[in-house]
Amino acid sequence: LFLVEFQSSSCNTSLRTHLGSSVTLDCHFALASSSSISSLEWRRQHRGSGRSLFRYQVGSTGPAAQPKVHVDVTELLGSGDASLNLQEVSVGDEGTYICLVSTPLHQAQHTIQLHVAEPPRVHMIPAVVSFERDVMTTLTCKIAGYYPLDVSVSWTQKTLEDEVEIPLSNIHFSSHRQSRDGTYSITSYLSISSATVQAPATYSCHVSHVALAEPISVSAQLKVPEQTGSEGLVGGFIATIIFVVVLFIVLRRRAGRSLKCWATSLMGE
């Protein structure tokens, strides 16, 4: 018969959460009736540096804790729940968390990887483009507020003649920019020329990121511009002039023929 004096466990080995959320890092232990906990410490390690977030020594006046972290000491001593609650998660909270539970005779630890992932916001400017001759138009796809850094951006084109979207390669990017909250942004540009493009057409910007369940797609519609009122008046005026000129020529020819016939009939008499 074996008696287990000390046993610890955690249902988490890796967690992913969003900015501003609250997350609980699970850590439990069980003791034999003849044993007791002496201390609990939570530490975070990231990029070679470590920091103590929470420490409780049995018999001390109270726990030492950093802001945003909480361990329920009552549950710790009563049921062996040493879980750490982390509030208002930021990019700086990412890292490896270590739960270290000690008794007078034993010590156990569990490590949990916390990953922060924030999905991007994607906007297309402009959303509608009028097709004009001999004009180069630039479409702008703005991707902002994402973390971590890696993001995939692609463009496609689809006209009335295309059965599927056609991938495009003539795209350009700005440099990555990092905000105060640690998130990133980037801008992608696509230049289209009226000399090589037929309207109407749809241009789409597709963005993939680890925080997205599926890619985000935003589109711009390239349309044939409607004829303005002044353009319609000019066109109507020109058409009227052409009609009058043609009518004048026809009537003149008919008049010439009638006069010739009249002169011929007089000579016959």
Side-chain angles (χ1 to χ4, degrees):
L1 180 64
F2 295 95
L3 178 64
V4 178
E5 292 188 358
F6 178 46
Q7 184 179 26
S8 65
S9 63
S10 174
C11 63
N12 303 133
T13 57
S14 180
L15 289 174
R16 189 183 302 277
T17 190
H18 294 294
L19 292 179
S21 64
S22 296
V23 64
T24 298
L25 309 179
D26 181 73
C27 184
H28 283 77
F29 65 92
L31 298 171
S33 57
S34 58
S35 184
S36 62
I37 183 175
S38 58
S39 68
L40 167 69
E41 184 179 18
W42 275 94
R43 298 185 60 83
R44 185 181 75 90
Q45 291 184 344
H46 189 56
R47 296 178 179 177
S49 63
R51 183 184 185 186
S52 178
L53 301 176
F54 179 91
R55 181 172 178 81
Y56 177 71
Q57 187 79 33
V58 174
S60 63
T61 55
Q66 295 294 326
K68 304 198 307 180
V69 300
H70 174 73
V71 175
D72 192 326
V73 176
T74 302
E75 291 294 325
L76 171 69
L77 299 177
S79 63
D81 185 356
S83 301
L84 177 77
N85 180 259
L86 179 62
Q87 300 176 344
E88 300 178 4
V89 173
S90 65
V91 169
D93 294 321
E94 192 172 53
T96 302
Y97 286 75
I98 303 171
C99 174
L100 184 62
V101 182
S102 301
T103 71
L105 298 177
H106 305 283
Q107 189 179 74
Q109 72 175 31
H110 292 282
T111 59
I112 302 171
Q113 298 290 333
L114 181 64
H115 303 280
V116 178
E118 189 68 13
R121 303 183 302 274
V122 185
H123 302 282
M124 176 78 79
I125 301 174
V128 179
V129 181
S130 294
F131 187 81
E132 298 180 7
R133 293 181 179 180
D134 303 324
V135 171
M136 180 73 73
T137 300
T138 299
L139 302 178
T140 302
C141 184
K142 293 188 174 183
I143 306 106
Y146 58 89
Y147 186 88
L149 177 64
D150 293 337
V151 65
S152 175
V153 183
S154 62
W155 288 79
T156 58
Q157 166 193 295
K158 190 174 189 297
T159 65
L160 295 178
E161 299 176 355
D162 299 325
E163 296 182 358
V164 296
E165 293 181 286
I166 307 301
L168 300 175
S169 58
N170 56 326
I171 58 178
H172 306 280
F173 293 92
S174 69
S175 59
H176 283 282
R177 302 175 296 274
Q178 190 169 23
S179 303
R180 291 183 178 181
D181 63 0
T183 60
Y184 296 95
S185 62
I186 194 172
T187 304
S188 180
Y189 305 95
L190 173 69
S191 296
I192 54 178
S193 171
S194 59
T196 58
V197 174
Q198 289 185 344
T202 300
Y203 289 87
S204 300
C205 174
H206 309 280
V207 178
S208 299
H209 188 263
V210 67
L212 295 171
E214 57 185 23
I216 295 177
S217 297
V218 293
S219 300
Q221 303 297 325
L222 182 63
K223 296 184 177 181
V224 178
E226 297 181 358
Q227 203 175 44
T228 63
S230 60
E231 289 175 342
L233 291 175
V234 172
F237 179 71
I238 293 175
T240 301
I241 292 177
I242 293 174
F243 175 76
V244 171
V245 171
V246 172
L247 181 62
F248 175 78
I249 293 173
V250 171
L251 292 177
R252 184 176 182 181
R253 288 179 178 178
R254 288 182 178 178
R257 290 174 183 173
S258 299
L259 183 60
K260 184 178 181 180
C261 292
W262 179 72
T264 302
S265 62
L266 287 176
M267 292 176 63
E269 292 178 0

